Amino acid sequence: MSSSKKSSDGKSSEIEEAVASLTMPFNKILLTSSDGESFEIDEAVARKFQIIAHMIEDDCAGKAIPIDNVTGDILSKIIEYAKKHVVEPDEDEDEEAKKKLDSWDAKFVEKLDLETIFKIILAANYLNFEGLLGFASQTVADYIKDKTPEEVREIFNIENDFTPEEEEAIRKENAWTFNG
Amino acid sequence: MATFALPFCEIPEDLQLRILSFLSPAEISCFACTSKRFASLCQEDGKIWHVMCDQRWGKKTKIQKWGNGQIPYRLLYKTLKGLENLIGFWRLCGRANPAASSPPLVFFDWGPSFVLGSRVLSTGDDTYQVKKTPFLLLGISSEGRTENFLDLVGGNLRSVDDDLKELEASDNLVSVDVNFMGNGHIMVEENRCFINNNLREEQKSSGDESDDLISSPDFSEMYTQLANKTSPGGDRRRQKRKEKERQASRTKWEPEHFLKVADCSPTPTKPLQGLWKGFCEGSMELYLVKYDEVGGIICRKVEDLSLSRYTPPVFWTPKHAFIRSPFSAEEELLLNSRIHISHLAEVHENVVSGILYIKSSYDLVLPGEAANGLGFLRGEGRVWLYENGTFGFGFLRDQFVIDMKRVALEDGCLADEIEASM
């Protein structure tokens, strides 16, 4: 992060400022989705996607980067999240900011259906966006919490291939493995 | 709820496991009952239990190194779940061992393949530096046995390999059990069985026949008497054995109890709460400030809890509401005329954001005082809360302000012991 140093007489050196602006991240990066949608974002936001951060480091990022595996609707959601999370507030330093951000996150996923969240997981995995991947995974896990196996099957379209006897046996076995 | 949800099966296994890693074991048990495929996914220790350990503790400790990498992750999960309750500050309650090996304040933290408890003491010089010396190590053997080692003299737990075997052989370390008594209370006691087991191991390998009958030092006399009658050549062996047993039966560490320091950090509504360090009568001391349920605050020196019943608090107040600026001229004068007691090299720059009236002992409140609050308005002393979150306190009877700094988990001043100067 840039900070202008004050010289002893209190004036910021013009030369120092000029140097700072050269190294400051003014760059914009253009991302293109698989279905042709384009998104122009700040470099700082783009760096949240490790795969792009590496490209920038290796200097092989031109101004436009194609994201072949992700459609425009999903990419736009991911960018929306990334923009909000460019700077992660420290829980100890700024409790207030953390709470506000958590609240925004909650509203963000509330509007999304499970299919979209799965797509976000796949895309975040591809882009190597750790923060969103963790958050989205936690969100799906929350769907599973406090549900019976039958309810979980329904949500995730899982086919029950157990016979009733097998199901009972596996239930007992798992109860021992996971609760013992 | 979506009816065309993307089947869970279609996302890659590592992402499936990632999602599952956020669940508790009971919830995974339920998920494992949904289909044969997921039952088998959740049966693989190296997969499901690994991600569960990784998700919770991967950033805090090296989960692959515990138990020398040879214990099942399911066991590791159970072990770490228990041990994570230790993390933080604990206070001694009732000293039963010599002061050098028995610290009033202990700090437990994650090591690479174990949990390490360290004594927290002042370094004894003029700085705010706090010394942290390892004294108790909690780990697990390759066979999955809990192994805890207590350092009686200091300096023996500095660099520990992932394999705890070398610690077993050390004479300076005592094998202990750490028993969780619930409610933030642990008891640390010497593990006698460990010693006897080891002794038996040694005896077995030395080929003595009469040894298998020996199960505790009490019976050894009896059996050696019997052995005397049947094997005349065993005198020397017997004497060595007796000597070892005598040594082993000598208790090296008396059981001690520790209570967890809850609330060891300040919060926005309780800015004085937690562990602090400040200079008192020339030396750096550790203090604990607590808020009680009725709106009061008590500050005490950190020491053996069983003693604190008899020692008066450093300061206390029945009401913890601060007076905010602007302050009266009297108050300004009161503070500005004081000398700050803090680290020699520090320049005192703190701006005061709040003032609190305090008392220094449990004097009887005179009948008039409580009613009209006038007596307490004079107060016996003050706490000055600084803008940077620290505070200083002082009494009307003298001209000093004792400036306090936080003792925190991330405290940069929690310095490791330099040499074994204990």
Side-chain angles (χ1 to χ4, degrees):
Chain A
M1 300 294 120
S2 64
S3 60
S4 52
K5 282 197 210 131
K6 290 210 178 99
S7 52
S8 53
D9 62 0
K11 269 196 312 197
S12 248
S13 153
E14 277 183 87
I15 298 171
E16 281 178 65
E17 255 183 304
V19 170
S21 69
L22 282 175
T23 49
M24 221 183 335
F26 273 130
N27 293 334
K28 295 270 189 192
I29 306 271
L30 197 71
L31 299 180
T32 327
S33 70
S34 59
D35 48 359
E37 236 183 294
S38 288
F39 303 89
E40 189 182 81
I41 55 176
D42 288 337
E43 184 180 316
V45 177
R47 278 183 173 275
K48 299 290 280 185
F49 315 138
Q50 281 302 305
I51 192 178
I52 295 179
H54 288 146
M55 285 170 131
I56 296 174
E57 234 111 82
D58 294 342
D59 224 14
C60 51
K63 282 291 188 165
I65 301 175
I67 311 289
D68 296 329
N69 289 15
V70 187
T71 55
D73 56 341
I74 300 295
L75 191 55
S76 95
K77 282 276 162 218
I78 292 180
I79 289 172
E80 191 187 338
Y81 186 91
K83 279 184 179 161
K84 264 293 180 174
H85 283 257
V86 176
V87 180
E88 296 279 4
D90 189 336
E91 192 150 2
D92 297 323
E93 297 291 310
D94 200 346
E95 222 179 297
E96 193 61 44
K98 183 89 179 41
K99 276 206 196 114
K100 273 178 93 174
L101 196 55
D102 287 344
S103 165
W104 186 91
D105 287 350
K107 290 209 189 78
F108 177 74
V109 285
E110 223 172 39
K111 302 181 253 181
L112 305 174
D113 61 35
L114 201 57
E115 187 176 354
T116 310
I117 299 178
F118 272 122
K119 288 183 180 165
I120 287 177
I121 287 179
L122 287 166
N125 186 47
Y126 172 72
L127 291 167
N128 202 342
F129 184 2
E130 184 59 40
L132 179 54
L133 183 55
F135 176 63
S137 301
Q138 167 89 74
T139 305
V140 177
D142 290 342
Y143 270 87
I144 304 175
K145 275 187 209 291
D146 305 325
K147 302 270 189 331
T148 65
E150 188 47 50
E151 286 167 328
V152 173
R153 285 189 200 113
E154 232 169 293
I155 297 172
F156 293 115
N157 256 334
I158 299 172
E159 198 193 310
N160 183 2
D161 51 357
F162 288 123
T163 66
E165 298 82 29
E166 281 170 339
E167 197 173 334
E168 183 55 29
I170 206 85
R171 194 189 60 78
K172 285 208 179 94
E173 189 181 327
N174 284 330
W176 179 84
T177 310
F178 289 96
N179 297 326
Chain B
M1 195 58 66
T3 42
F4 298 115
L6 190 75
F8 192 80
C9 325
E10 280 185 28
I11 62 173
E13 189 178 270
D14 62 328
L15 292 180
Q16 290 176 348
L17 288 168
R18 180 94 186 231
I19 291 170
L20 295 176
S21 75
F22 286 98
L23 298 174
S24 72
E27 288 153 357
I28 293 191
S29 164
C30 161
F31 186 82
C33 294
T34 52
S35 78
K36 286 184 181 168
R37 175 180 173 169
F38 293 123
S40 109
L41 177 67
C42 296
Q43 257 154 24
E44 293 190 59
D45 180 82
K47 289 191 174 168
I48 187 69
W49 289 103
H50 179 125
V51 295
M52 284 166 76
C53 289
D54 196 38
Q55 201 278 312
R56 283 158 186 78
W57 303 291
K59 295 205 170 74
K60 300 176 184 175
T61 183
K62 296 191 161 70
I63 56 171
Q64 311 94 300
K65 298 218 161 162
W66 284 72
N68 227 9
Q70 288 170 32
I71 56 168
Y73 281 108
R74 179 172 165 242
L75 176 60
L76 182 62
Y77 183 92
K78 203 167 152 192
T79 307
L80 296 182
K81 198 94 177 76
L83 288 178
E84 72 180 356
N85 295 317
L86 275 179
I87 307 303
F89 288 99
W90 294 71
R91 301 173 65 189
L92 180 64
C93 186
R95 167 162 294 135
N97 295 293
S101 63
S102 179
L105 185 66
V106 172
F107 173 55
F108 286 98
D109 200 4
W110 293 101
S113 60
F114 45 81
V115 165
L116 196 62
S118 305
R119 293 174 251 183
V120 181
L121 303 156
S122 70
T123 44
D125 57 19
D126 287 330
T127 65
Y128 274 108
Q129 288 240 306
V130 173
K131 198 164 47 175
K132 193 175 76 166
T133 72
F135 97 107
L136 175 58
L137 183 144
L138 300 102
I140 194 163
S141 72
S142 320
E143 297 85 35
R145 247 181 315 129
T146 342
E147 292 201 317
N148 308 321
F149 299 99
L150 187 135
D151 189 349
L152 290 170
V153 299
N156 293 299
L157 289 174
R158 200 70 49 72
S159 51
V160 181
D161 278 338
D162 299 321
D163 186 351
L164 304 177
K165 277 213 162 30
E166 62 179 48
L167 298 180
E168 287 173 26
S170 170
D171 286 328
N172 288 320
L173 299 178
V174 176
S175 172
V176 294
D177 283 326
V178 177
N179 301 312
F180 289 84
M181 321 289 281
N183 275 339
H185 171 194
I186 58 171
M187 182 173 77
V188 180
E189 88 181 313
E190 195 174 344
N191 182 345
R192 311 308 308 285
C193 309
F194 188 86
I195 296 161
N196 286 339
N197 274 341
N198 269 7
L199 212 54
R200 232 182 302 168
E201 295 280 322
E202 281 176 37
Q203 290 164 351
K204 275 208 185 102
S205 56
S206 69
D208 272 31
E209 286 163 9
S210 48
D211 290 311
D212 297 313
L213 301 170
I214 297 172
S215 54
S216 84
D218 291 328
F219 289 117
S220 66
E221 279 299 321
M222 203 165 82
Y223 287 120
T224 12
Q225 294 289 345
L226 290 170
N228 261 333
K229 294 180 181 155
T230 50
S231 61
D235 277 358
R236 226 171 9 104
R237 280 201 312 270
R238 257 176 268 118
Q239 277 190 355
K240 262 180 84 181
R241 215 188 311 132
K242 262 174 140 183
E243 191 46 51
K244 266 199 168 161
E245 279 153 23
R246 228 178 274 129
Q247 274 200 358
S249 66
R250 207 186 59 222
T251 310
K252 295 180 189 160
W253 172 266
E254 296 296 331
E256 285 194 342
H257 298 252
F258 293 85
L259 294 183
K260 192 158 197 188
V261 178
D263 307 319
C264 47
S265 296
T267 66
T269 47
K270 298 182 180 177
L272 298 185
Q273 180 172 261
L275 284 166
W276 301 87
K277 48 193 181 181
F279 286 91
C280 177
E281 284 145 28
S283 61
M284 212 261 292
E285 302 276 349
L286 299 171
Y287 300 87
L288 180 64
V289 179
K290 275 183 151 175
Y291 283 65
D292 63 30
E293 306 82 29
V294 292
I297 300 178
I298 299 185
C299 172
R300 298 200 119 95
K301 273 195 199 166
V302 174
E303 60 193 353
D304 174 9
L305 271 172
S306 62
L307 292 177
S308 49
R309 221 191 306 260
Y310 309 108
T311 54
V314 175
F315 66 78
W316 69 280
T317 176
K319 279 198 286 269
H320 68 258
F322 279 91
I323 299 166
R324 301 286 174 178
S325 70
F327 306 115
S328 69
E330 285 171 337
E331 290 293 347
E332 295 274 5
L333 189 62
L334 196 60
L335 174 61
N336 293 334
S337 62
R338 288 177 177 258
I339 302 166
H340 288 266
I341 301 188
S342 59
H343 182 217
L344 295 170
E346 286 192 16
V347 179
H348 176 74
E349 278 183 32
N350 290 313
V351 177
V352 178
S353 65
I355 297 181
L356 193 64
Y357 297 129
I358 57 173
K359 283 186 153 275
S360 73
S361 59
Y362 287 133
D363 290 340
L364 287 173
V365 179
L366 298 174
E369 281 185 346
N372 61 17
L374 206 61
F376 208 74
L377 265 181
R378 281 196 311 274
E380 230 185 287
R382 301 283 184 274
V383 162
W384 293 279
L385 181 68
Y386 301 130
E387 255 176 12
N388 65 3
T390 61
F391 71 94
F393 71 96
F395 297 100
L396 300 184
R397 59 175 183 253
D398 61 39
Q399 288 295 104
F400 300 112
V401 179
I402 298 172
D403 284 325
M404 303 276 247
K405 287 206 185 308
R406 277 192 60 198
V407 177
L409 293 176
E410 306 82 23
D411 193 337
C413 292
L414 268 175
D416 278 335
E417 183 181 24
I418 305 152
E419 283 314 322
S421 52
M422 289 299 298

